[in-house]
Amino acid sequence: MNEFELIRRYFQRPPKRALLGVGDDCALLRPDAGLDLAVSTDLLIEGRHFLPGAEPRALGHKALAVNLSDLAAMGATPRWVTLALALPAADAAWLEPFSAGFYALAERYGVDLIGGDTTRGAARAICVTAIGEVPPGMALERSGARPGDDIWVSGELGGAALGLAHPEIAEAAKRLHLPEPRVELGERLRRLAHCAIDVSDGLAGDLGHIAERSGVSASVEYERIPRSSSFAKLKAPELEKDCVLSGGDDYELAFTAPREHRAELEALGAELKLALTRVGTIEAGSGLHILDAKGRPLAHRGGFDHFKNQK
Ligand code: ADP
Ligand code: MG
């Protein structure tokens, strides 16, 4: 199979919303008139972001999911994606399930794969760029948090990091390998939230970004953070704290919203069948403050940094 057969076989399905998709020098897009475009890129490298033996169907899902999650955190509706791949070989046994996992998620959200690049490389690398649309002025920037806002978190945290430490816990392993991007939630938050971020590097790190960019203080009550039910059985409080506060890869949304929207947000969670939990508040000041049940500061490891501890 040569490069062009590979593309035709695995990555060329007719687009639904693009003027021109895979097969030319460029794709051609016509955004809805007056909408802003939101653009995000994520690079996944074998050995760093996924293990060499990672299941290819799950990897196809996750490579797209992490990008749709970034669009959701901006309040954007995903429309188009490109996919750049480096592969050691044109291996049908890997490409077939990878492509199936990628398209299964893309089709669920009406997202078109409109182009990319494919090359041989020593290790696998997967780079997805996602483009979404958002009404002007409605994007949920990290700088939007205001004193008096509640801090909310969707779903449960810590499961993905637990899946890395304990791959035998099926529920946690699923959270790690098959994250669900909170696309509908992101769209609905445009009107209700002041700012949002997806929890990709751990809640502590990600809320720290919001506090810094918004010029405010964020206080979170540790016990209120919703977490995977597997932790209750495990009885490993240090691991639990590490996963819940500093574990990456959960791809839930953390967001801040004015108190007046509490009832509407609770109704939204019920409608989307997705738990939305209030975990803290934004105040004047600076920094992120994680507090125990008695309001005392809780020591933690912070968020994930790809360049920390490098040799
Ligand atoms: P070019 O030489 O202009 O870079 P290529 O020969 O690399 O074009 O690619 C041919 C077509 O296939 C282009 O439309 C490109 O966007 C698309 N393409 C290449 N690799 C992928 C991929 N992995 N997924 C989707 N589209 C791809
Ligand atoms: Mg090319």
Side-chain angles (χ1 to χ4, degrees):
M1 171 165 59
N2 70 27
E3 179 186 337
F4 304 102
E5 277 166 29
L6 183 162
I7 294 165
R8 207 174 330 106
R9 219 185 277 178
Y10 299 109
F11 301 111
Q12 193 159 11
R13 296 192 191 176
K16 297 199 173 68
R17 302 180 56 102
L19 302 179
L20 191 60
V22 170
D24 215 307
D25 296 314
C26 290
L28 287 175
L29 311 177
R30 189 170 295 161
D32 280 353
L35 295 186
D36 292 344
L37 295 180
V39 182
S40 175
T41 296
D42 265 297
L43 176 59
L44 301 182
I45 304 278
E46 186 174 68
R48 174 143 289 268
H49 304 95
F50 60 93
L51 297 171
E55 210 272 296
R57 190 180 164 103
L59 208 51
H61 171 98
K62 185 165 177 175
L64 179 57
V66 300
N67 279 273
L68 299 191
S69 176
D70 279 323
L71 292 182
M74 212 67 193
T77 301
R79 297 294 188 210
W80 306 286
V81 291
T82 65
L83 169 65
L85 278 178
L87 302 170
D91 175 6
W94 189 89
L95 283 158
E96 170 72 42
F98 176 84
S99 153
F102 192 97
Y103 273 113
L105 181 61
E107 282 166 8
R108 203 136 59 75
Y109 288 111
V111 172
D112 288 329
L113 174 60
I114 49 144
D117 202 21
T118 307
T119 178
R120 194 188 289 274
R124 289 192 182 98
I126 308 163
C127 182
V128 174
T129 296
I131 306 169
E133 292 174 323
V134 60
M138 298 293 272
L140 297 167
E141 297 179 35
R142 293 179 181 184
S143 56
R146 296 288 169 263
D149 279 2
D150 294 317
I151 302 172
W152 295 76
V153 168
S154 71
E156 296 174 340
L157 296 185
L162 182 62
L164 200 58
H166 285 277
E168 77 283 0
I169 302 176
E171 182 237 347
K174 184 165 180 238
R175 289 304 310 247
L176 176 64
H177 298 299
L178 292 171
E180 189 57 41
R182 301 305 186 192
V183 174
E184 296 93 346
L185 175 62
E187 291 172 337
R188 301 289 290 275
L189 288 180
R190 276 174 207 160
R191 220 175 36 76
L192 295 171
H194 279 153
C195 79
I197 192 166
D198 64 327
V199 183
S200 55
D201 296 334
L203 184 68
D206 290 323
L207 281 179
H209 294 312
I210 283 187
E212 190 188 329
R213 294 282 304 280
S214 299
V216 295
S217 151
S219 295
V220 169
E221 216 180 290
Y222 173 69
E223 299 294 341
R224 291 172 67 161
I225 301 171
R227 63 202 70 187
S228 157
S229 56
S230 306
F231 287 115
K233 290 165 236 157
L234 215 57
K235 298 195 170 46
E238 280 305 311
L239 174 71
E240 178 172 334
K241 186 172 82 174
D242 218 45
C243 291
V244 168
L245 291 176
S246 310
D249 266 8
D250 281 315
Y251 301 102
E252 294 296 346
L253 296 186
F255 55 96
T256 82
R259 290 175 68 99
E260 305 85 82
H261 289 163
R262 280 183 186 178
E264 255 188 286
L265 283 163
E266 270 150 25
L268 177 62
E271 184 193 330
L272 298 179
K273 297 186 174 60
L274 174 64
L276 299 181
T277 310
R278 258 189 303 121
V279 299
T281 50
I282 298 289
E283 287 140 33
S286 68
L288 170 68
H289 309 278
I290 308 276
L291 308 172
D292 70 11
K294 297 198 172 114
R296 297 172 303 204
L298 194 76
H300 61 89
R301 194 162 56 85
F304 184 76
D305 176 348
H306 281 106
F307 287 99
K308 214 157 55 183
N309 306 325
Q310 63 181 341
K311 293 191 196 91

